[in-house]
């Protein structure tokens, strides 16, 4: 009788162990996989690209799970934008001059040929009194259009444009828009006389690769040689042509920023390493450029 009781106890323990293991496998709350968060609150226009990178990395590492969030609360990683090269960079973004497609400025012969450095200064830079007087003496005509630009501590596009024009950000002309790059796109599309600078990934439709409806991308010096070629005028017609052209240049005449992921999490560090190497082929469909090759090689 005692032997039978011992056997029953062993059977009971075995059943309990099986039930516990089954519960661990079926219950999401008990899952061993960590659901990490990557914050894009300061770089909202990178969301789609980040989600694609996560999806592709998950195919390589099925145990990796991460969610892109837009929050000021602490997350496991944060996407940041800067004008400085960074070993944590996973890609770069280009900033282009854009205008409302109904803007009278687009009928100006000089603008049609392309924005030279002098023309960019004339359109986008706030002049002091002496500069205005010099322009009048030279017979410079007032150009139509109202400049719109981002303002605030996270207005990286304005900072990079100002650096490209060799001025301080407060000298960028026009109406100031608070918020994100998406807010600036909305302002340009909503005002017929608007002209601005913005990131290529927002200026073009990610599905058609054509400029967003209501927007015109202005021809400008892409390779930084001081001239605007027919090829440069041609490639701005399509996002895929533009990113392919820019990725082949050793340097560009456009304001360029870096996209970095800051984290102390080891799983996310491995994801960043993959994104800056094997993941580079997934950037261009979203209008982003590959990371600095020299920095990628240092990793």
């Amino acid at each position: 009788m005692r032997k039978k009781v011992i056997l029953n106890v062993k059977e009971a323990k075995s059943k309990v162990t099986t039930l516990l293991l089954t519960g661990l496998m079926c219950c999401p709350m008990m899952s061993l996989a960590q659901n990490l968060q990557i914050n894009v609150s300061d770089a909202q226009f990178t969301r789609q690209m980040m989600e694609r990178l996560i999806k592709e990395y998950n195919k390589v590492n099925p145990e990796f799970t991460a969610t892109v969030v837009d929050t000021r609360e602490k997350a496991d990683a944060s996407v940041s934008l800067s004008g400085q090269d960074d070993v944590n960079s996973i890609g770069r973004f280009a900033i282009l001059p854009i205008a409302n497609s109904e803007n009278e400025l687009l009928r100006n012969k000089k603008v049609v040929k392309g924005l030279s450095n002098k023309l960019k200064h004339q359109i986008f830079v706030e002049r002091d009194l002496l500069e205005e007087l010099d322009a009048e003496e030279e017979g410079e005509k007032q150009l139509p259009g109202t400049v719109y630009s981002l303002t605030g501590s996270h207005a990286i596009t304005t900072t990079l444009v100002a650096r490209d024009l060799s001025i301080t950000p407060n000298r960028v002309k026009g109406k100031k828009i608070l918020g994100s790059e998406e807010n600036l796109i909305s302002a340009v599309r909503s005002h017929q006389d608007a002209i601005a600078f913005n990131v290529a990934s927002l200026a073009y439709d990610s599905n058609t690769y054509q400029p967003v409806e209501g927007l015109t991308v202005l021809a400008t010096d892409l390779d930084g040689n001081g001239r605007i070629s027919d090829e440069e005028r041609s490639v701005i017609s399509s996002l895929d042509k533009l990113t392919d052209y820019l990725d082949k240049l050793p340097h560009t005449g456009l304001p360029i920023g870096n996209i970095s992921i800051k984290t102390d999490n080891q799983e996310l560090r491995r994801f960043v390493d993959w994104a800056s190497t094997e993941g580079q082929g997934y950037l261009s469909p979203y209008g982003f450029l590959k990371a600095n090759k020299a920095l990628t090689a240092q990793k």
Side-chain angles (χ1 to χ4, degrees):
M1 184 71 179
R2 185 177 178 182
K3 185 177 180 181
K4 187 176 182 181
V5 170
I6 291 172
L7 286 173
N8 287 340
V9 170
K10 287 182 177 179
E11 289 175 2
K13 286 182 176 180
S14 178
K15 289 180 179 179
V16 169
T17 302
T18 301
L19 288 170
L20 286 172
L21 289 172
T22 303
L24 283 169
M25 293 173 66
C26 297
C27 180
M29 296 299 291
M30 303 285 288
S31 174
L32 298 177
Q34 186 180 6
N35 187 20
L36 302 165
Q37 291 188 332
I38 301 177
N39 180 22
V40 294
S41 60
D42 294 334
Q44 294 177 35
F45 63 88
T46 66
R47 174 184 284 275
Q48 283 187 310
M49 180 263 288
M50 287 302 307
E51 290 175 339
R52 175 67 184 276
L53 287 175
I54 291 170
K55 179 181 177 181
E56 297 300 329
Y57 182 62
N58 183 252
K59 295 176 182 177
V60 178
N61 180 7
E63 294 183 1
F64 179 83
T65 58
T67 304
V68 178
V69 297
D70 179 2
T71 176
R72 292 293 176 188
E73 296 179 9
K74 187 176 180 181
D76 301 292
S78 60
V79 178
S80 62
L81 310 174
S82 76
Q84 306 299 321
D85 287 338
D86 190 331
V87 292
N88 294 309
S89 174
I90 62 167
R92 298 173 298 149
F93 60 97
I95 303 174
L96 297 164
I98 59 174
N100 184 291
S101 296
E102 301 298 320
N103 196 325
E104 186 182 344
L105 182 71
L106 299 177
R107 291 188 284 276
N108 182 281
K109 291 181 180 179
K110 290 183 179 180
V111 173
V112 171
K113 288 181 180 180
L115 301 189
S116 63
N117 192 54
K118 180 179 180 181
L119 199 53
K120 282 192 288 186
H121 273 78
Q122 185 179 346
I123 295 171
F124 293 104
V125 178
E126 196 74 61
R127 292 168 169 169
D128 59 29
L129 181 58
L130 287 177
E131 289 171 328
E132 286 287 358
L133 291 173
D134 288 340
E136 286 182 15
E137 286 183 6
E138 292 174 8
E140 187 178 281
K141 293 182 179 179
Q142 185 78 20
L143 292 172
T146 301
V147 176
Y148 287 75
S149 60
L150 282 179
T151 189
S153 58
H154 298 289
I156 184 66
T157 48
T158 302
T159 300
L160 293 177
V161 166
R163 188 175 72 178
D164 181 65
L165 296 172
S166 301
I167 60 171
T168 55
N170 64 337
R171 288 194 64 198
V172 176
K173 192 191 295 183
K175 295 186 177 181
K176 306 302 180 185
I177 303 294
L178 279 170
S180 65
E181 284 74 15
E182 287 85 352
N183 296 128
L184 184 57
I185 286 287
S186 296
V188 176
R189 294 182 70 192
S190 301
H191 297 85
Q192 189 172 314
D193 68 337
I195 182 171
F197 272 96
N198 213 325
V199 293
S201 58
L202 292 177
Y204 294 85
D205 188 305
S206 60
N207 294 316
T208 66
Y209 291 171
Q210 304 302 303
V212 169
E213 185 178 357
L215 292 183
T216 295
V217 177
L218 304 178
T220 189
D221 180 13
L222 300 179
D223 60 13
N225 68 354
R227 300 185 302 273
I228 302 161
S229 67
D230 290 339
E231 185 179 11
E232 286 172 315
R233 293 188 191 91
S234 175
V235 298
I236 63 170
S237 65
S238 174
L239 181 61
D240 53 346
K241 291 180 181 178
L242 176 67
T243 52
D244 182 61
Y245 180 83
L246 294 176
D247 261 332
K248 292 176 181 176
L249 296 177
H251 65 275
T252 174
L254 294 175
I256 298 289
N258 279 286
I259 305 166
S260 303
I261 299 180
K262 308 295 185 183
T263 183
D264 294 323
N265 183 283
Q266 291 303 313
E267 282 296 314
L268 283 166
R269 283 183 181 275
R270 284 189 278 272
F271 166 67
V272 172
D273 288 341
W274 174 87
S276 63
T277 52
E278 289 94 329
Q280 293 293 285
Y282 301 107
L283 302 184
S284 60
Y286 300 93
F288 297 100
L289 308 179
K290 294 176 182 178
N292 185 308
K293 292 178 182 178
L295 291 174
T296 301
Q298 291 177 23
K299 291 191 175 183

